[in-house]
Structure formats: C-alpha cells, structure tokens
Amino acid sequence: MSAFPAIGALPASGEVRGACPHDCPDTCSLITTVENGVAMKVRGNPGHPQTQGVLCAKVSRYTERTYHPERVLHPLKRSGPKGSGRFEKVSWDEALGDIAQRLQAIAAVNPEAVVPYSYAGTMGLVQGESMAARFFHKLGASLLDRTICSSAGTEGLIHTLGGKVGMRVEFFAESKLILIWGSNSITSNLHFWRLAQEAKRRGARLVCIDPRRTETADKCDEHVQLKPGTDAALALALMHELIVNDWLDHDYLTRYTVGWGALRERALRWSPERASEVCGVTARQIRQLARDWGTISPAAIRLNYGMQRVRGGANAVRAIAGLPALTGAWRHRAGGVLLSNSGRFPVDRAALQRPDLLAGRKPRTINMITIGDDLLRKESPEFGPAIEALVVYNSNPVAVAPESAKVVAGFARDDLFTVVLEHFQTDTADHADYVLPATTQLEHWDVHGSYGHTDVLLNRPAIAPQAEAWPNTRIFRELALRMGYTEPCFSQDDLSLCRTAYGDRIDFDRLLQHGYASLEVPEAPFANGGFPTPSGKCEFFSERLARQGLDGLPDHLANYETAGTSHRYPLAMISPPARNFLNSTFVNLRSLRDIEGEPMLEIHELDAAARGIASGAIVRVFNGRGEYLCKALVSPRARQGVVNGLGVWWRKLGLQGANVNQLTSQRLTDLGRGPVFYDCLVEVEAV
Ligand SMILES: Nc1nc2c(c(=O)[nH]1)N[C@H]1C(S)=C(S)[C@@H](COP(=O)(O)OP(=O)(O)OC[C@H]3O[C@@H](n4cnc5c(=O)[nH]c(N)nc54)[C@H](O)[C@@H]3O)O[C@H]1N2
Ligand SMILES: Nc1nc2c(c(=O)[nH]1)N[C@H]1C(S)=C(S)[C@@H](COP(=O)(O)OP(=O)(O)OC[C@H]3O[C@@H](n4cnc5c(=O)[nH]c(N)nc54)[C@H](O)[C@@H]3O)O[C@H]1N2
Ligand code: SF4
Ligand SMILES: [Mo]
C-alpha cells in the first residue's frame, strides 16, 4: 500500500477553522474545538460577518454526525443479495484491487459503460470534483449532467442577467421591500433571514410568494399563496401593472435593457385578472404587490430554487429576474434580485478536473435525473452501451432521484457493479457491491465558494480520519495507482489541490490565516448596466434562445401535471426541504429525526374532509408512478388542492420502505435539463 504524505499537522487541542460543507447558500465559517485529538464542539465563527457566530440546528450537531456509532468506518464488500444491506469488512487493498480490476475489464470493452454519480453531499471543490473528475476523465467514463438541483434557474439567469450573479446578500438589510420568492428562508437560508429581520426592524415590508404557508410566510407582512408552477404568470402580471401605472424607470430601460418593446407587448396580455385565474390568487393581491414593487425603494427579491422545479422553471426565473430592471431597482445596492452569486467565484475547474485527460475522446453524458430510466436501458445506437458500473460519491440517488421505483430497480440489477463512497449506510449504499468509508468535513482539507454570499472559505481538518476512513481524493488517488495511471496530477495532495482551486486569484495566505477571504464585488453591480450578457444589458429578449428556435421572451408554461386536468390524480404535490434535514443528509441522526417526527403529508382541511382523512391518520399517496405511505397532517400550511410532502426521508426509515420520490417524475424543465420534483399530481386516501 502506498502512503501519501500526511498533510499539515493536526492540533492535539485548540480551535480549528473550517467551512460548512453542505448544499446550503449560507456556507458558514465553522470553529471546531478539539481536545486531545477529539472534536468536542462545532460552532459558528463570530468573526465571519456572514456567519455571525450562528449555525443551524443541523450542523451544531456535526460532532454527533462525525462520531455516530453507525458511521461506515471500513471498506465493506457485499455478502448478501443486491439491496439486502448485508456486507462484510475487507481490507482497502482487497477492495481497491478488485474495484480496479472490474472497472478495467469494463473499460477495455467500452469505458462509457462506467458512470460516475455525484452531487453536493459536500460542496467542497476538492472533495467534490477534483481527483474524482481526473480519474473518470482518464478512464473515459460517461460524463454526468449534474442537473438535479439548480440547472433550470441557472439557464434562466444566464439568459437574462448573463450568469449566476446578483445582489450582494448583506445589503438586503437596507431594503425597504423584500420579496421572498420560492424560498423558505428560515429553513434553508437562515443567515439571509437574519438580514431580512434586520430590514424589517428598519421598517421594510416582507412578502412571501409560496404555495405553502411556511414558517417564513407566517413571519412576513404578506403571503401570496400561488399555485405551484405559476410564478411566470404572476411576474408578467406585475409587469402589466408597472406598465399601465407607469411605475417604470424609462432611463434604465432604454440604456441597460434589450427587448423591452417586445416584453412590454407580452406583459400587456397578462392582466391581473388573467394571472389570477392561473395563479389562484386574487387580482387585488396582484395589484397590491405591483404597487409595492413599483413604489417602494429600495426593493429586492430573494429568489430561491424552490420555484424552478417545474416544467417552466427557467422561464419563471427569466421573468422574475427581469423585474428589477423595469423599475431601475438595480441602481441601489439594496435593490435587485439574488438567486445565486456562485458565478462570481473564479474557480479554475479545468485545473482541478483536468478535462484534457479525455485526450480528444467525447464520452456521452448521462443526466443524473433520469438515472432510473438509464439504468434500465439496453445498449442501443442512440444510448450507447448499457450502464455496467456506477461509482457514487457525495450523493444518495436511491433516496433523492425522481421516480424511485425505477431507480431502485436499476440499482438492484445483478449485473450492475456499484461502488458507493459514503459516511453512512444509506439507501444507495445498501445497493452497493462495495461501500468505501469517506471522511467528514472535520477530517479533511477543502476549499469552498458559496451561492449565497461572496466569500471563499478554507476548511482545515480538525481531527484525524476516523478508523479506516479516507478522503474522496485519496480513494481516487489510490484507485488511479491501481489502474496504472502515472500522470503527476494523480499524486497531487489535498492542500495543493486547495491552492489549485483558485490559483493566484485568491490570496491563499489570507485563507490560511483567517479561514475566509471576500471577493471584490461592486456594491451595486448593475447600477450602470454592465451585465455579463452578450449585449452587456439585461436581456428581456434573448437572441441566443431565439437562435436555438426557442421563445426569446419569458412566458408562463403550464406544469406538465396541472391540477384540475386529471380526475384520477386531482391534487398537486410539492416536496420541499424539511428544516432539520439537508436533502437526505441527517435523516439518520436520531436527535434531528425526532424533531421532524415521521414522514408527513400536509393537507388542507377541505381536501382531507372530502377524503375522510383525519389528522394523524396513515394515508396512501399515489399516482401512476407509484405509491407511498405516510402520516397525514391536516394543516393550514397546505393550500387547498396542493399537498406538501416534506423532506427527503431515507426510504428505509419511512413507512414500508419508500419516500416521496416514489411519485415524482423524470421529466425535464424547459431549459437546463432540470428536475420537476414539484410538478406532480397525486391522489391521497386513508388506509
Ligand atoms: N434545512 C434545509 N436547508 C436546505 C436544504 C434542506 O433540505 N434543508 N436544501 C438545500 C438545497 S439542496 C437547496 S437547493 C437550497 C434551496 O432550497 P429550496 O428548494 O429553494 O428550498 P426552500 O428555500 O425551502 O424553498 C422551497 C420553497 O419553495 C416553495 N415552492 C414550491 N413550489 C413552488 C412554486 O412553484 N412557486 C413558488 N413561488 N414557490 C414554490 C416551497 O413550498 C418551499 O417553501 O436549500 C438548501 N438548504
Ligand atoms: N422530492 C424531492 N427530491 C429532491 C429534492 C426535493 O426538494 N424534493 N431536492 C433535490 C435537490 S435540490 C438536491 S440538491 C438533491 C440532493 O441530493 P444529494 O446531493 O444526493 O444530497 P443528499 O441527499 O444530502 O446526499 C448526499 C450524500 O453525500 C454524503 N457525503 C457528504 N459528504 C461526503 C464526502 O465528503 N464524501 C462522500 N463520499 N460522501 C459524502 C452524505 O453522507 C449523503 O448521504 O436532492 C433532490 N431531490
Ligand atoms: S447548513 Fe447552512 S446554515 Fe447550517 S451551518 Fe451549514 S451553511 Fe450554515
Ligand atoms: Mo439543491
């Protein structure tokens, strides 16, 4: 066994600065207290302005997760049938030797039969896609379209503002009007919510736009409880009102936008009455919201990804991202819109991931959303080879990917060779041939950007890797060695990879010293235009989309599965995050799971009464794709006609071993090939 040099010295005792690795816009700066080599406590760094010494309940328990008795701490080899979850301990040498041999045999026929599957279990640039990407590029494996979260919204932003760029989050504290749009900020963007509270104390008006009456909606001045997937219609009607009342910044429109004439025409077709029909909110409420947006300044929108998980998700983001330009809200640093600022980070992905190792090969791309269908496909000229090997890291697809019945059937294939790098025995790990123990954030180096603020963070290891756990990087490094890959890039160590991520674009010494470094982003980035679009302006009309034969303007696209169109499945179901879980992470932490209770479906009292469902009853939720059982909660949080199935539970911890994704579909969004988790019709019955 080769040994790579240990990197950096670990303190026996003291405080270590790190970064929260989770897929959360807040990217908190962490301080871990270590005593005699044991992490005693993780807290928020009070010196980091974005963290302000505060962590969410989940990550305050990070030591509980790290030292959890059920952590996978040794390489495991399957010893029972596929999916049985029965494994035996093996040595690293045996596991890696066998895996390398299997992958080599498959690759000798066609390397595209090997598929990496990963997402954002860690957002770290090093333990995410660095050594792993190099490995799969060298192998010539299929590429993965990492679309499961944000790609519709990303396309919407790119075709309007020019990239994942927006307001600087800290200035929301100075806004006088904040639209919290498709975001349950208290749950999923806690540090933004603190800024919104500060704005409120200074007299701001907060409006929540969400089909669910969330805890965030409870605390806003107003709640616009629209039907799922109708946000573009609402945005167009707001524009209608801004036009007819002339609440427009004509100078901004003339100088800094493209396609205003055409957009104006389209918006004028969206009277509040028409939008009211589509959105299921009153025309009066739409008019009031338009008056607010047109007359209060500075006005800002905190958009989040919750509203783009429907067929028309990208169009909706395009329409909403255009709103600040109509009123010139961008002129003020506390005005504009923020969905993500991740486009600001100057990451050198090519240096980390080394696509040059493909050496001219152009492997096919598998969309991670359709992994259910794709695992069940046979070889064909369109598809290429059947998938024969799957290497999963930083993701739990059996729980989080849509249409689980197919995902499970695919993972259960006897002829599929599956390797899962994990902390825990997840639903996905249960289906592995090998489970390899990975380190947690307290045990490895990494460097992070953020999609909610504009600081780079460094994560230093606080403790030694537990038992036989290895960082993802080391696992791929050692596998590369056994595959005979001799390029020097396969022996680069983790600290050096951290330096590679930003090259000389970030002062690494500053990172080493303080744990974070702020990017230089203008206070009001688009006060004088300067959008990173081809025209340099806010593109209401996108020439690029039109050239692809698509609508150049944003429009409302009805959901694939619109409530009222099916007698068999009359209810729309959304499945947004639970507060105490992070996607499917933390579901196995007893203390957090106890707060969430059990898998729950919120249902409006009239919908419940019509079906004879009492609060607390076990119900069957079903559609043509499948069914699952959970507890009904008759709740004012549910809109009539819409049910809310919260959180992504582990299947094996739910009732009858299934979760909400048993019902969701593998269809894709209008742009960006994204998922439509919240575009889903179901029926519910008491059992
Ligand atoms: N506690 C916690 N925090 C998380 C996560 C988690 O699972 N738990 N997940 C993380 C991840 S991966 C992400 S991507 C981010 C962002 O995560 P998001 O998915 O944006 O999560 P939320 O901020 O909860 O916003 C979702 C809100 O959108 C609402 N919504 C659903 N459909 C529609 C619609 O059609 N229109 C409108 N206007 N609203 C709609 C839902 O009811 C919900 O309240 O959060 C991250 N933070
Ligand atoms: N119905 C429904 N489904 C959804 C959503 C929804 O709102 N509703 N949300 C969707 C969204 S927004 C997203 S982003 C996806 C999220 O899907 P995933 O990115 O798969 O997220 P998690 O479920 O948190 O699983 C991450 C796994 O990575 C592991 N992990 C963490 N750190 C490391 C590490 O350093 N090394 C290794 N090897 N493993 C690690 C964790 O233990 C965890 O099991 O789910 C999507 N699925
Ligand atoms: S999950 Fe979000 S709020 Fe919680 S510690 Fe991590 S970055 Fe902060
Ligand atoms: Mo996500």
Side-chain angles (χ1 to χ4, degrees):
M1 168 121 322
S2 75
F4 288 94
I7 314 154
L10 289 170
S13 296
E15 293 197 322
V16 182
R17 288 208 192 144
C20 175
H22 291 298
D23 189 351
C24 167
D26 298 20
T27 317
C28 291
S29 170
L30 309 180
I31 295 183
T32 303
T33 309
V34 181
E35 283 175 22
N36 303 316
V38 178
M40 305 303 290
K41 187 177 163 34
V42 177
R43 65 189 168 94
N45 180 357
H48 180 234
Q50 310 285 355
T51 306
Q52 299 206 333
V54 177
L55 301 180
C56 64
K58 306 177 287 295
V59 175
S60 307
R61 321 250 165 134
Y62 207 75
T63 54
E64 196 183 322
R65 189 172 188 278
T66 300
Y67 295 118
H68 196 291
E70 286 162 13
R71 238 187 96 182
V72 174
L73 290 172
H74 305 277
L76 301 174
K77 182 179 181 176
R78 179 163 67 87
S79 61
K82 269 269 159 108
S84 65
R86 288 214 298 280
F87 291 89
E88 63 188 21
K89 253 193 230 176
V90 291
S91 68
W92 270 113
D93 254 341
E94 183 187 336
L96 294 173
D98 195 18
I99 293 166
Q101 213 171 30
R102 295 287 295 266
L103 294 182
Q104 249 158 352
I106 294 168
V109 182
N110 190 341
E112 293 181 33
V114 178
V115 176
Y117 196 99
S118 66
Y119 201 62
T122 169
M123 297 283 285
L125 294 166
V126 172
Q127 304 306 335
E129 305 302 333
S130 65
M131 206 50 81
R134 293 176 182 184
F135 179 85
F136 291 110
H137 284 147
K138 172 75 187 174
L139 183 69
S142 290
L143 303 173
L144 186 74
D145 212 1
R146 293 188 170 79
T147 46
I148 202 160
C149 174
S150 60
S151 59
T154 299
E155 288 296 304
L157 284 185
I158 288 173
H159 291 294
T160 309
L161 306 181
K164 288 201 192 183
V165 290
M167 279 177 66
R168 272 171 57 179
V169 70
E170 55 269 42
F171 298 129
F172 275 91
E174 299 168 9
S175 306
K176 289 292 176 231
L177 173 70
I178 304 179
L179 311 189
I180 301 178
W181 200 322
S183 167
N184 183 3
S185 313
I186 295 179
T187 279
S188 64
N189 196 185
L190 187 63
H191 295 77
F192 160 75
W193 178 249
R194 290 164 63 86
L195 296 168
Q197 291 294 96
E198 192 179 327
K200 196 174 177 178
R201 279 193 294 277
R202 299 189 198 173
R205 180 171 164 76
L206 306 186
V207 181
C208 179
I209 304 175
D210 196 311
R212 176 170 182 254
R213 176 115 195 144
T214 59
E215 43 284 60
T216 305
D218 284 341
K219 295 200 165 66
C220 286
D221 298 290
E222 181 151 1
H223 180 204
V224 181
Q225 195 169 12
L226 78 186
K227 293 181 187 168
T230 63
D231 300 88
L234 177 63
L236 287 162
L238 295 180
M239 292 178 188
H240 179 280
E241 289 302 289
L242 297 174
I243 295 164
V244 301
N245 292 292
D246 198 23
W247 291 317
L248 299 170
D249 183 332
H250 293 280
D251 179 57
Y252 196 94
L253 284 167
T254 308
R255 288 201 212 193
Y256 307 128
T257 71
V258 171
W260 169 237
L263 179 67
R264 186 177 180 281
E265 231 175 88
R266 176 157 302 173
L268 284 173
R269 285 190 246 134
W270 281 94
S271 66
E273 282 70 23
R274 180 178 173 202
S276 163
E277 287 280 305
V278 172
C279 304
V281 300
T282 64
R284 197 169 151 268
Q285 195 175 28
I286 296 172
R287 286 204 164 84
Q288 181 56 47
L289 184 59
R291 174 177 298 274
D292 288 346
W293 187 256
T295 60
I296 302 175
S297 174
I301 301 172
R302 181 60 169 113
L303 195 58
N304 214 331
Y305 290 111
M307 43 68 65
Q308 46 99 65
R309 300 194 175 111
V310 292
R311 174 183 168 222
N315 265 275
V317 168
R318 290 207 68 216
I320 295 163
L323 280 169
L326 269 72
T327 52
W330 288 116
R331 290 187 192 273
H332 199 291
R333 70 179 189 177
V337 58
L338 173 62
L339 172 55
S340 166
N341 256 323
S342 62
R344 296 274 177 202
F345 290 82
V347 181
D348 191 346
R349 287 189 208 279
L352 283 175
Q353 304 180 359
R354 298 293 305 270
D356 56 295
L357 293 166
L358 282 169
R361 294 168 296 178
K362 290 196 172 62
R364 67 167 169 197
T365 300
I366 299 286
N367 189 327
M368 66 189 299
I369 296 162
T370 55
I371 192 67
D373 276 343
D374 289 343
L375 281 175
L376 299 174
R377 266 189 237 283
K378 302 224 174 338
E379 170 155 20
S380 73
E382 307 78 53
F383 182 61
I387 299 174
E388 290 178 52
L390 203 55
V391 182
V392 183
Y393 51 102
N394 305 334
S395 186
N396 184 9
V398 172
V400 305
E403 209 175 350
S404 317
K406 289 189 176 164
V407 182
V408 171
F411 271 85
R413 266 176 46 197
D414 261 327
D415 60 341
L416 179 72
F417 180 64
T418 305
V419 179
V420 177
L421 286 61
E422 251 302 346
H423 299 149
F424 290 103
Q425 195 65 39
T426 59
D427 293 323
T428 305
D430 278 350
H431 290 83
D433 292 282
Y434 280 99
V435 184
L436 303 179
T439 44
T440 68
Q441 192 77 343
L442 299 191
E443 300 154 75
H444 56 225
W445 283 95
D446 217 326
V447 68
H448 291 251
S450 169
Y451 57 105
H453 60 66
T454 45
D455 294 348
V456 172
L457 275 76
L458 182 71
N459 185 73
R460 286 171 181 269
I463 55 171
Q466 297 299 288
E468 291 192 89
W470 286 0
N472 292 345
T473 42
R474 180 169 181 197
I475 297 174
F476 285 106
R477 226 178 254 133
E478 299 270 2
L479 262 180
L481 201 69
R482 282 166 179 77
M483 302 282 281
Y485 300 164
T486 51
E487 286 80 355
C489 73
F490 288 109
S491 49
Q492 193 181 2
D493 68 42
D494 285 10
L495 183 54
S496 165
L497 282 165
C498 286
R499 288 181 187 274
T500 297
Y502 291 100
D504 56 12
R505 290 169 260 190
I506 288 286
D507 181 351
F508 201 79
D509 289 331
R510 209 199 126 78
L511 275 184
L512 282 169
Q513 219 174 349
H514 298 279
Y516 69 92
S518 303
L519 300 179
E520 276 176 37
V521 178
E523 291 195 352
F526 309 126
N528 303 301
F531 293 91
T533 51
S535 63
K537 300 181 177 186
C538 173
E539 298 194 345
F540 298 135
F541 181 84
S542 165
E543 192 63 52
R544 283 181 291 177
L545 289 178
R547 270 203 304 269
Q548 296 168 48
L550 301 167
D551 192 352
L553 293 173
D555 204 354
H556 166 65
L557 301 177
N559 278 2
Y560 289 120
E561 302 184 9
T562 308
T565 58
S566 160
H567 291 294
R568 290 164 76 188
Y569 311 118
L571 298 169
M573 184 185 76
I574 57 173
S575 47
R579 184 166 179 180
N580 293 289
F581 302 150
L582 208 133
N583 300 320
S584 77
T585 303
F586 295 106
V587 180
N588 60 325
L589 247 66
R590 180 104 242 172
S591 59
L592 292 169
R593 190 164 79 244
D594 283 348
I595 307 176
E596 290 297 329
E598 53 212 319
M600 191 84 82
L601 188 81
E602 295 172 347
I603 184 166
H604 187 270
E605 58 182 349
L606 294 177
D607 293 326
R611 291 165 178 79
I613 293 168
S615 210
I618 302 296
V619 289
R620 188 168 86 93
V621 192
F622 61 100
N623 62 20
R625 288 177 288 270
E627 64 171 58
Y628 91 113
L629 296 186
C630 63
K631 203 174 233 187
L633 183 68
V634 177
S635 166
R637 297 211 182 282
R639 197 200 132 98
Q640 195 179 353
V642 181
V643 290
N644 312 321
L646 293 193
V648 188
W649 280 73
W650 284 20
R651 290 167 60 84
K652 60 183 169 185
L653 295 176
L655 297 173
Q656 284 195 338
N659 72 14
V660 72
N661 280 322
Q662 202 77 17
L663 308 180
T664 52
S665 92
Q666 298 181 65
R667 298 187 81 164
L668 304 179
T669 49
D670 50 352
L671 296 173
R673 308 166 306 283
V676 296
F677 289 112
Y678 306 166
D679 183 340
C680 177
L681 288 183
V682 303
E683 179 54 295
V684 184
E685 65 181 24
V687 294

